[in-house]
């Protein structure tokens, strides 16, 4: 189905043309003044300059044509030259009905199917997922689902951090703690020697400890640097221990992503890009881009007109080891080979913006992707405590993501304790509700801004929260169940008979518009707004009417049709936010 504003733009453009003006003036948008009209077109104002004619006269000519169109209940020229438009109830109900019967539920599909790679994990081996990874997971999952809903082919890539400096530190610290492990012997034989099992709790504690130590202990720092070189050369023992640590990390990370309802199509890591590094170095050398600076290999990426200083990108350290930027560049070669993507998107917190600017410039300069491939970074703000500072544990440490999830879940459990509606699997319901609350709070904020972690507010049944949305769906569930209607049954919606219905129908008709906006702006808040608008309009409609006890059978069935399409549209919006609906609450 086309976007409703597109359908209306075509109609109004044709009217401009019939009145003797350029059809390009007919762009229709949702009204800024919903109290006056549903849609507006401001084309007559731009036409005034083009035709040296008063905008009101142009608007009047166009309105004269539109007034005969059965789609509009209102087509009015208003000073200084706006065209205000509202739809007839028949036309609006027709659109809602079309959405209801559309397998894509009115979500406009892209004309040219494109391929998008979204890099939104970034967990690190041997480091517990922490709240810094939360937003990329939540926003990325939503963008991936939204892109799919609009007909795009998407690969979500976890892009494990597993090949850089931290692993030198980690392994060096293992050696300090377990010098007797066979992997540290020169004659280590992976066929015969057995490395002891990795303890997850110890593993999570090792990196922070090693990182701190490296700041004051010069010798330890040197050893860990050499260990990175050994690892990247896949030295026996070091590499085998790394593999074991990685297995444990991947398991733990998968478990936490699963709790969050976040999933990846590709589980590659930095180490998987390693085989493309020689090719990367060749390309950069052949193009004359690589040069030496203080023993290291770098590429200049500053551009004329830069407002900030953009330092050269470091590709090889003086000891020959690869670093963060090397992996990102090599991964671009890999992605180009594997997926031929039209876009590659990266989600990290905004402190990494400069890194991505350097990587993208270098990739384009080196021609690692065609010039038209979009390389884009979404740098988001932090989740903070009430003091506006990054959210911490009680003792001031970085909050592990799993602890945060558990906090929200138990807050949800507290709320559900006395619910008479949930009789079985309260824990399962609490998990879904807690996660929904957390995701909705995150996604309804502008990604680039910080926001405050406040589980009480997130879980409130009133206001713009995930809880309120889930609750609205459960209300519709109950109506449909009582009426014996299946959730996926497609009923007809024929007639608007009240103001409340009109508002709801209009928001349903507009819901499809939010998907493309969310995708293009990399901002799922558009979906949150649409879902919240529909849920609030539904509540109004529900309070104004006695749906199940309505005596006029035709009217009742018509309303049930509206309930059913509302539910399906809401559930789809929630699904694109990564939120799973619940049956009761
Ligand atoms: N592992 C990184 C971190 O924890 C994030 C990786 C993001 N993706 C990328 N392609 N660089 O900061």
């Amino acid at each position: 189905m086309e976007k409703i504003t597109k359908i209306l733009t075509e109609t109004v453009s044709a009217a401009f043309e019939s009145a003797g003006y350029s059809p390009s003036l007919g762009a229709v948008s949702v009204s800024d003044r919903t109290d006056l009209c549903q849609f507006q077109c401001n084309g007559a104002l731009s036409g005034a300059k083009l035709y040296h004619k008063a905008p009101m006269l142009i608007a009047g000519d166009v309105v004269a044509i539109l007034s005969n169109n059965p789609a509009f209940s209102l087509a009015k020229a208003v000073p200084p030259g706006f065209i205000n438009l509202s739809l007839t109830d028949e036309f609006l109900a027709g659109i809602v009905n079309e959405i209801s019967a559309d397998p894509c539920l009115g979500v406009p599909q892209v004309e040219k199917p494109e391929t998008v790679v979204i890099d939104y994990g970034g967990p690190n081996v041997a480091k517990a997922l922490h709240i810094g990874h939360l937003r990329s997971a939540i926003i990325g999952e939503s963008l991936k689902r939204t892109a799919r809903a609009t007909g795009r082919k998407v690969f979500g890539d976890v892009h494990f951090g597993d090949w850089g400096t931290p692993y030198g530190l980690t392994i060096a610290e293992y050696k300090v703690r377990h010098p007797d492990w066979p992997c540290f012997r020169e004659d280590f034989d992976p066929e015969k020697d057995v490395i002891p099992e990795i303890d997850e709790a110890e593993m999570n504690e090792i990196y922070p400890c090693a990182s701190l130590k490296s700041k004051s202990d010069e010798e330890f720092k040197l050893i860990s640097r050499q260990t990175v070189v050994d690892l990247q050369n896949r030295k026996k023992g070091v590499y085998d221990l790394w593999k074991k640590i990685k297995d444990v990390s991947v398991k733990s990370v998968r478990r936490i992503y699963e709790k969050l309802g976040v999933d990846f199509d590709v589980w590659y890591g930095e180490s998987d890009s390693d085989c493309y590094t020689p090719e990367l170095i060749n390309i950069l050398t052949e193009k004359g881009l690589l040069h030496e600076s203080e023993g290291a290999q770098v590429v200049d990426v500053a551009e004329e007109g830069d407002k900030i200083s953009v330092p050269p990108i470091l590709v090889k350290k003086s000891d020959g080891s690869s670093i963060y930027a090397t992996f990102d560049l090599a991964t671009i070669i890999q992605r180009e080979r594997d997926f031929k993507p039209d876009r590659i998107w990266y989600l990290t917190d905004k402190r990494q913006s400069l890194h991505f600017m350097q990587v993208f410039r270098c990739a384009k300069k080196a021609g690692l992707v065609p010039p038209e491939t979009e390389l884009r970074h979404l740098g988001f703000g932090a989740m903070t405590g009430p003091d506006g500072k990054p959210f911490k544990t009680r003792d001031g440490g970085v909050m592990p993501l799993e602890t945060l999830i558990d906090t929200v879940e138990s807050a949800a459990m507290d709320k559900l304790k006395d619910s008479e509606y949930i009789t079985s699997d309260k824990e399962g319901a609490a998990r879904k509700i807690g996660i929904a609350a957390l995701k909705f709070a995150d996604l309804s904020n502008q990604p680039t801004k910080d926001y405050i972690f406040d589980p009480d507010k997130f879980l409130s049944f009133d206001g713009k929260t995930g809880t309120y949305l889930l609750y609205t769906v459960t209300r519709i569930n109950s109506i449909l169940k009582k009426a014996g209607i299946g959730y996926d049954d497609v009923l007809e919606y024929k007639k608007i008979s009240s103001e409340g219905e009109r508002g709801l129908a209009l928001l349903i008709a507009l819901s499809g518009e939010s998907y493309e906006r969310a995708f293009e702006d990399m901002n799922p808040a558009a979906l949150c707004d649409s879902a919240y608008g529909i849920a609030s309009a539904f509540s109004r409609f529900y309070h104004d009417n006695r749906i199940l006890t309505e005596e006029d059978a035709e009217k009742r069935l018509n309303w049930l049709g509206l309930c059913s399409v509302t539910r399906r549209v809401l559930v789809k919006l929630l699904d694109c936010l990564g939120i799973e609906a619940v049956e009761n609450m």
Side-chain angles (χ1 to χ4, degrees), residues 59-80:
D61 292 343
V62 176
V63 160
I65 294 168
L66 291 175
S67 304
N68 300 322
N69 190 319
F72 299 112
S73 61
L74 170 89
K76 191 174 168 196
V78 283

Side-chain angles (χ1 to χ4, degrees), residues 304-378:
E304 226 172 276
D306 277 343
K307 296 221 164 56
I308 50 163
S309 119
V310 184
I313 182 167
L314 182 59
V315 182
K316 279 273 172 196
K317 284 171 74 172
S318 53
D319 59 13
S321 61
S322 300
I323 55 158
Y324 194 44
T326 329
F327 311 137
D328 269 328
L329 290 166
T331 302
I332 290 179
I333 300 184
Q334 177 188 31
R335 289 177 177 158
E336 180 60 23
R337 194 108 347 132
D338 290 354
F339 310 118
K340 287 232 161 305
D342 299 279
R343 315 180 190 237
I344 310 178
W345 285 4
Y346 300 80
L347 278 74
T348 71
D349 79 53
K350 55 187 168 198
R351 287 172 302 181
Q352 295 197 29
S353 300
L354 179 63
H355 163 77
F356 284 104
M357 181 193 272
Q358 293 173 299
V359 168
F360 298 166
R361 285 183 180 184
C362 181
K364 286 279 161 107
K365 260 181 135 170
L368 305 184
V369 288
E372 63 279 9
T373 304
E374 179 182 78
L375 300 174
R376 198 165 159 197
H377 173 234
L378 174 68

Side-chain angles (χ1 to χ4, degrees), residues 117-123 129 133-142 144-145 148 154-160 250 253-269 335 339 345 347 401:
V117 172
I118 311 184
D119 178 321
Y120 64 99
L129 277 174
H133 294 111
L134 177 75
R135 297 206 74 189
S136 49
I138 293 182
I139 303 170
E141 182 69 24
S142 173
K144 179 186 73 181
R145 292 171 181 227
R148 272 194 192 132
V154 196
F155 295 96
D157 187 352
V158 76
H159 197 74
F160 244 105
V250 171
V253 158
R254 274 189 191 266
R255 179 188 73 234
I256 300 168
Y257 279 132
E258 218 169 282
K259 277 194 179 183
L260 255 189
V262 168
D263 185 28
F264 297 90
D265 308 289
V266 186
W267 283 80
Y268 288 151
R335 289 177 177 158
F339 310 118
W345 285 4
L347 278 74
L401 188 48

